[in-house]
Amino acid sequence: MAHREVLAEPGSRVVMLGNVAFARGALEYGVSFASAYPGTPSTEITEALSYASRILGGPYVEWSANEKVALEAAIGAALTGIPALASMKHVGVNVAADPLFSSAYMGVEGALVIVSADDPGMWSSQNEQDNRWYGIHAYIPVVEPAGAQEAKTAIIEAFKLSEKWKHPVILRTTTRVSHTRVIVEAGEIDIAKIKRKGTFVKNPEKYTLVPVHARRLREELVEKWEKISNDLSQNQVLNHAEGNPDSETLVVAIGLGYRYAKEILAAHGLLDNVRLLKLSAPVPLPKSLLLNEAEGREKIIFVEEGDPVIETLSKALFYDYNVRAEIYGKGTGHLKKTGELELHHVEKLLAKALELEKTYFSHAMIKPDIKLPPRPPVLCPGCPYRAVFYALRRAVGKARIRPIYNGDIGCYSLGVNPPFQMQDTIVEMGGSIGLANGMAHAQDDKVPIAIIGDSTFFHAGLPGLANAVYNRSPMLVVVLDNRTTAMTGHQPHPGIGVTARGVEGTELSIVDAAKGLGVEYVKVIDAFNIAEGEKEFYEALEYVKKERKPALIVAKGACILLALAAGRRIGVYPIVYRVDDDKCTACGLCYKAFNCPAIYSKDDGKAYINELLCTGCGECAQICPFDAFEPVDEVPPEWLRLMREAKPT
Amino acid sequence: MAHREVLAEPGSRVVMLGNVAFARGALEYGVSFASAYPGTPSTEITEALSYASRILGGPYVEWSANEKVALEAAIGAALTGIPALASMKHVGVNVAADPLFSSAYMGVEGALVIVSADDPGMWSSQNEQDNRWYGIHAYIPVVEPAGAQEAKTAIIEAFKLSEKWKHPVILRTTTRVSHTRVIVEAGEIDIAKIKRKGTFVKNPEKYTLVPVHARRLREELVEKWEKISNDLSQNQVLNHAEGNPDSETLVVAIGLGYRYAKEILAAHGLLDNVRLLKLSAPVPLPKSLLLNEAEGREKIIFVEEGDPVIETLSKALFYDYNVRAEIYGKGTGHLKKTGELELHHVEKLLAKALELEKTYFSHAMIKPDIKLPPRPPVLCPGCPYRAVFYALRRAVGKARIRPIYNGDIGCYSLGVNPPFQMQDTIVEMGGSIGLANGMAHAQDDKVPIAIIGDSTFFHAGLPGLANAVYNRSPMLVVVLDNRTTAMTGHQPHPGIGVTARGVEGTELSIVDAAKGLGVEYVKVIDAFNIAEGEKEFYEALEYVKKERKPALIVAKGACILLALAAGRRIGVYPIVYRVDDDKCTACGLCYKAFNCPAIYSKDDGKAYINELLCTGCGECAQICPFDAFEPVDEVPPEWLRLMREAKPT
Amino acid sequence: MKSLNIVLSGVGGQGIISLANVIANAVLESGGKVIVAETHGLSQRGGSVIVHVRIGDVEAPLIPPGNGDLMLSLDPIEAARYSVYLKKGSMIFVDNNITPPPLPGIKIPSLDEIVESLEKEGFDIIVVPAVDEAKKAGNPLGANIFLLGASYQTGILKEYINEEAIIDAIRKNLKKPEKNIEVFKRGKKWAEERLTR
Amino acid sequence: MKSLNIVLSGVGGQGIISLANVIANAVLESGGKVIVAETHGLSQRGGSVIVHVRIGDVEAPLIPPGNGDLMLSLDPIEAARYSVYLKKGSMIFVDNNITPPPLPGIKIPSLDEIVESLEKEGFDIIVVPAVDEAKKAGNPLGANIFLLGASYQTGILKEYINEEAIIDAIRKNLKKPEKNIEVFKRGKKWAEERLTR
């Protein structure tokens, strides 16, 4: 997505997604280098910067192979003296953790902001983790914007903080900051600044973390940490108190917590009664500000998204300084520790602490008395993965093996649902091959089949594959190559050869990569060709059984959404399919076992196709035992080509 | 190294390194799967298990491509119902962080212990980080042995804890636990147990972390955490109190801190006076035990290695429960926060808190009045890297470029020292290529040259290289292939084709891997041939300048220590070199600019070779402009072959 | 503390986020304040989608359960699912087409069953042939805007959004703006005829 | 609370860790308690090495500065570097060969300068031709054991370690055990002759 509003006229007010506001803020500050790997809820930051770069000719923007490479590249850029941004989702920081820790020791020359987009509530993630702990663990300050309303300001402040202290800064956003649209006022962008190049000045005593240097840097780091804490106590933009200075109650509202606290206090008419401390830069704990505000209060309430991080640190601080107040927060059990906060949770907390009787946000929920079917996300009609799952299952049956489907992160994780249920483990990016490695040696009654997407393969599959070859793990690796990072919205990756700036990149081959890593059995199949898939999967499984080594199959077929989009651009459209009622026997295979969302059952059990949903992939025609499906017209060869070769622009 | 004592007779008492005691404990518990990537101070655990596996035929042991793959494999194994161990150094946990977080959500079936060997004081690491934070952040219990004395017991308890709660457990050791030798009593090893295989039982609601499952698992995780806390309060083996129950003082001694506290209290005759709480399983905080012991005390002292983690959590707990004591620890500034603890630091803390006047461990240090030269570790005589640095520097001069040497983790990091000073950045495993990626685009007055070892290349170099090809980063990548993971003691890796169990593995080719990832310019050079190196580096740099794409050169030459060891096994020995005094002009190039540690300067400035140190590599003969070096005898071709091809067994 | 909380719901791909964007821009044009909380990522793949639109003196992104003033929904099942976010008596504008979740062997309630269950809880349900009417207008993807038109006609939005602002927002933010403006007007007209009967 | 703290020092590769292992095993054979803290990893590559050996009623791995009772060192520079770990008056057994750090342009102090500076601080320095004597015994890598023999002769270790235990520990833990036992005995003999003069 382009997110054109990122380049809104200076002075104008526009509706902007929080993530786009981050991008805008970075541009206004003068970011000159941005790297990222896509991941919900962080993706749009880099999409917007990519758009800006294409229009303005700067900053340098790249989709990196993974978050570790993205952060390393950004550290490299920052060491040349220019401001750099590395964006990722919360679990991406796990991938990038190793350079993250080192970056605090080395510091930076220009500025370095690392976006960690946390996902409380797990809207699109394998877990919930509060990455402010990384800030504490790695000695890196954390800026946490008070909602999308503060996104632009907060990232600018994060850059300033980084520049001032020559230290990396984590900007922790969450789903409801990143994916919330608000009205933002656009400021000036200095194009010369964002296009500037840096220069590297050698300073091995700082930049080479051999023990003799690292020991000195550790001392400096611990000292710097206290100084930054003092600085954050003074930073009125990010951290400040409002309301009644003499109140017996202090509400410490961290990040988005400020919005919740403020709306509730306003509704209850308490804004002028209690003291409200907004902390948008809570790590390192701004000790003097906090102590100053806490002194003499009877009650202190903590509102924060995630773990009770700031509450815990604050209580330890209060202990040392003899602050004695009643505390209300997650740590004391007054606020839930899982999922994301909502107004009624926070109102309940405040009501308890402030002994409020009336509530404004905690209405009784009305639940209509009707059983609703769930609606999980599903593989799209025409998704090549459906054909692959189908072919693979048949091959497994034919090979008479018991499979373990080691799944991974991507649209194919939806294969966990009926009717396929062909994802037995989904752990993290690259976990498919990694877990299969262990299972290949830890048991021998089943055959591990690692299922991994193309973008994920380049992100995290390579070392695992090297390991499988080296340690001779008998397993089948299926790389689902749909020519894009589909789940996050169709970003390119190393296998595509299109860069974030729209300039030509080099296209890597998954087949060559696998062969280069020593896999002896490597084949490519047409993902849309079910018979071919079944045959090739069967043969590969036989190889694995016999040779006790890994085999790899690349199932190539474009994400159907990409193919449709590419077709629209050049005026090529799919031909939908229809059911021949005379041939259809109402066996239900197409809408049950194959489960295409465009195919429904009529009252008589016969199939019919919703032509608004049908993408003309022709998979149904392949699986129907009675040849009941046919295209309504001749299928243009150009469309068949797009289904195989479409890619992002 | 074999560490044969790991298989000491049951009932015998033997001197064992802490790490070997961990291996022994794992075997006594019945570990059936062990994976690792070598890293000081963790390596010997897996070396010892590897030895055991070769002798006993179990458990399955592997050196994995990196720590992420190692942990994934161990998770896979644990899900089949067998106990698994993944060992790594502290920064290895950064590499493995992504599966780490997921593992807490999924839980395990058999048992899973993850060793994090922290390195306070940075004896062999790029940083100091306290990985107990990972336990808190990821909701994974941390067992922290009270010294090498407790290593065996603690790992057995860690496995039991994991088995009981079906949850991963981090075993945090530190350099002074892992690399301390003590007397250990060997118990029984059940060979059938360590050789057993598991079986995988599907349970996608637990093992597939799609949001709908992960949300439920998050709730369960937070609940489980409190239950484990209670359990740890009851675990008398790991956590218990001793000394005077009515003392006004409580010393909370965590992990190795217990040894310091105990020795000091004993020396001062205070063991029966104060209350000493030993915490070897401090995360999740055993709240009820801690509160119980803290109640009514006037002073509470925390002794812990690393950050004030337990002190901070405890103070927050004390705040909630109105414990009011004076606290002494790192958080209160009574104990240093950097480096490793020693007896005198802890004695100072206790002396302050307990108002002790006499000291036993804080004697005045005697510093002789003489200026001593530093003795940093250096590249060994005969190290192929010395020849490569020399050739590379000459090529850079010839190509008239300004280089940025992006270094990495391995023996070649020693190139940071004079005379080479050819490591401008050293960040973490894989950082060479990653930083070079960023610098290639962020500046254009210098050419980034990434220098990375063979083991590091397979560990962390692959995605960075894919990125460099994809995003067309103009840079030279030099892979120093010395046929082993040299710095940690010569473990094999995917490029060697020897596995940890001594059975045949498949040897991967760095050249094929690079070509497979799309690098168009790939060459191999003989690391020991300086003229060839200079020529090939020059040509590669010209290619980078002209084509604005990455080029890669593999400099192949065995670690000389490997070659010497291989030679000893087959009776092939190097021929040392000598200096022809008539030809030597005392220019000093060999001992200054080339800096071979076997070459010294005589009083007249002419060179001489210490034949005890000379490894007969012949590099000096290549660099001397006056042909002053010659072998004392004919060099056997077999030795020249070993220098190129030796590898670990 | 005046505010209007609108729940938008439907199935991934039906244009819920576009609709929210039009509303938000219309609020901006009208000089108001607005916060839109969206769902991105995985759930877009044919999954259940809810978007929270909060207009006026508000700070937080999400409408608390039981606090919504109005719902526009492109699917009756999703209307029922997210009705927990509405205040008693709220109006629900919902398309009459059910998109059955493509799960094998599940029971799909009928439109009548859904409407009845919602009415029983005191909601004011307006079933709108939005998809059908949008198709008729030659803009099959315009059902979202048709619903907006229908709801606008009731007046509940007028205090916060001018009609010209909506027209302007459609023009600036949607593809085929003229067709969508046409659909908006048809939606209004449909409501005028239907609701004043 | 009886204990003996021995500092072992030298240059990576000189056999310091092997020496520590022999001592530890000899303590075990003698029925005592021992803790050995080693340095592994990077510093083995020709760097400065210290190993802490603590015998008796001790708990912690490291000898605090100023608390060591004895040092055995294979390099005079390293003996001086780590003398901070010793108590005033402690004995230092040090080989007479200096291995100069291979750094360009650094100044290397002489053996005499080093010995003098240490004696000035009150240490009892015994310079031992350990490497030379070990070579003579046909075991050039046995200098570490020669030093052990020399120090054993002084009696400082006897309270904690039996001579037979050392012989046994050498036999079980070193390559070429007989040669090393021979070297140990030569070390003892050397000390007997040299120190009783």
Side-chain angles (χ1 to χ4, degrees), chain A residues 13 44 124 149 176 179-181 183 259 263 344 360-361 363 365-366 368 373 375 377-378 486-487 595 600, chain C residues 11 21 28 32 35-36 38 40 42 45 48 54 59-60 65-67 75 78 81 83-84 99-102 121:
Chain A
R13 297 173 75 242
E44 298 81 4
S124 198
Q149 296 94 325
R176 298 304 178 186
H179 284 168
T180 292
R181 236 173 261 271
I183 297 168
R259 298 292 157 195
E263 182 161 349
H344 58 297
Y360 295 91
F361 303 102
H363 295 196
M365 285 193 269
I366 305 168
R375 192 190 301 277
V378 289
M487 197 202 262
N595 198 231
Y600 292 101
Chain C
V11 177
N21 199 29
L28 168 65
I35 302 176
V36 179
E38 305 176 355
H40 290 213
L42 190 59
R45 301 271 170 273
S48 161
R54 309 192 70 211
E59 297 281 342
N67 276 255
D75 184 276
E78 302 314 314
R81 194 188 312 281
S83 63
V84 292
T99 302
E121 301 297 339

Side-chain angles (χ1 to χ4, degrees), chain B residues 566-584:
Chain B
R568 275 195 296 275
R569 282 196 298 274
I570 59 171
V572 172
Y573 297 93
I575 302 301
V576 299
Y577 278 64
R578 68 178 164 215
V579 180
D580 182 337
D581 245 26
D582 293 341
K583 292 184 179 169
C584 180

Side-chain angles (χ1 to χ4, degrees), chain B residues 209-523:
Chain B
L209 297 182
V210 290
V212 60
H213 300 157
R215 284 186 201 115
R216 189 194 72 250
L217 293 168
R218 166 80 180 175
E219 302 279 347
E220 292 173 13
L221 178 59
V222 170
E223 273 175 41
K224 207 194 224 184
W225 197 239
E226 291 304 314
K227 289 180 193 160
I228 297 176
S229 163
N230 286 334
D231 191 31
L232 294 182
S233 283
Q234 311 301 323
N235 188 321
Q236 288 286 317
V237 179
L238 294 173
N239 297 334
H240 68 256
E242 55 198 52
N244 180 3
D246 303 318
S247 172
E248 64 174 35
T249 304
L250 175 70
V251 178
V252 183
I254 299 111
L256 185 55
Y258 173 73
R259 298 290 157 196
Y260 294 116
K262 193 164 179 190
E263 182 160 349
I264 293 158
L265 292 174
H268 288 268
L270 293 172
L271 271 181
D272 297 331
N273 293 51
V274 307
R275 186 69 168 167
L276 177 59
L277 177 58
K278 165 183 171 291
L279 290 186
S280 294
V283 175
L285 204 60
K287 291 185 194 169
S288 59
L289 174 63
L290 197 60
L291 285 172
N292 204 34
E293 289 298 334
E295 201 194 337
R297 312 282 176 201
E298 286 179 20
K299 295 172 184 173
I300 303 178
I301 303 161
F302 287 87
V303 184
E304 59 190 313
E305 190 85 90
D307 288 334
V309 175
I310 304 307
E311 178 186 343
T312 302
L313 298 186
S314 299
K315 286 192 290 204
L317 176 73
F318 294 163
Y319 192 94
D320 283 342
Y321 286 86
N322 288 306
V323 173
R324 302 273 159 92
E326 258 191 279
I327 304 274
Y328 296 82
K330 291 188 167 195
T332 56
H334 293 96
L335 191 59
K336 74 192 185 104
K337 285 183 185 163
T338 59
E340 59 184 352
L341 292 183
E342 296 179 62
L343 276 167
H344 58 296
H345 305 134
V346 179
E347 185 176 52
K348 196 178 150 204
L349 166 74
L350 291 175
K352 170 83 184 173
L354 300 169
E355 294 162 39
L356 306 175
E357 281 171 17
K358 198 165 160 30
T359 60
Y360 294 92
F361 302 102
S362 312
H363 294 197
M365 285 193 269
I366 305 167
K367 279 212 156 192
D369 182 25
I370 185 168
K371 198 166 153 43
L372 297 171
R375 191 191 300 278
V378 289
L379 295 174
C380 303
C383 178
Y385 296 169
R386 181 175 290 103
V388 173
F389 279 128
Y390 194 82
L392 180 57
R393 159 172 288 176
R394 288 176 63 96
V396 161
K398 198 171 157 196
R400 297 179 178 277
I401 57 150
R402 293 199 286 168
I404 303 171
Y405 297 109
N406 293 115
D408 219 300
I409 306 294
C411 289
Y412 42 93
S413 68
L414 299 175
V416 72
N417 291 324
F420 293 114
Q421 298 177 295
M422 288 168 73
Q423 298 271 286
D424 294 323
T425 65
I426 298 175
V427 183
E428 33 70 82
M429 293 288 284
S432 55
I433 300 178
L435 263 78
N437 264 309
M439 289 182 167
H441 296 288
Q443 55 85 47
D444 44 25
D445 59 344
K446 301 192 184 72
V447 178
I449 300 176
I451 298 173
I452 185 168
D454 44 347
S455 189
T456 309
F457 177 80
F458 286 112
H459 175 289
L462 300 170
L465 192 60
N467 198 70
V469 172
Y470 165 36
N471 284 303
R472 297 197 179 161
S473 309
M475 58 197 264
L476 173 60
V477 179
V478 179
V479 184
L480 299 171
D481 180 7
N482 68 352
R483 318 292 298 132
T484 187
T485 316
M487 196 200 264
T488 50
H490 302 102
Q491 293 76 28
H493 61 65
I496 303 306
V498 174
T499 71
R501 291 171 303 144
V503 303
E504 201 190 349
T506 298
E507 182 172 330
L508 277 68
S509 152
I510 295 169
V511 168
D512 290 352
K515 285 185 180 164
L517 291 174
V519 185
E520 291 162 17
Y521 191 105
V522 181
K523 298 238 175 152

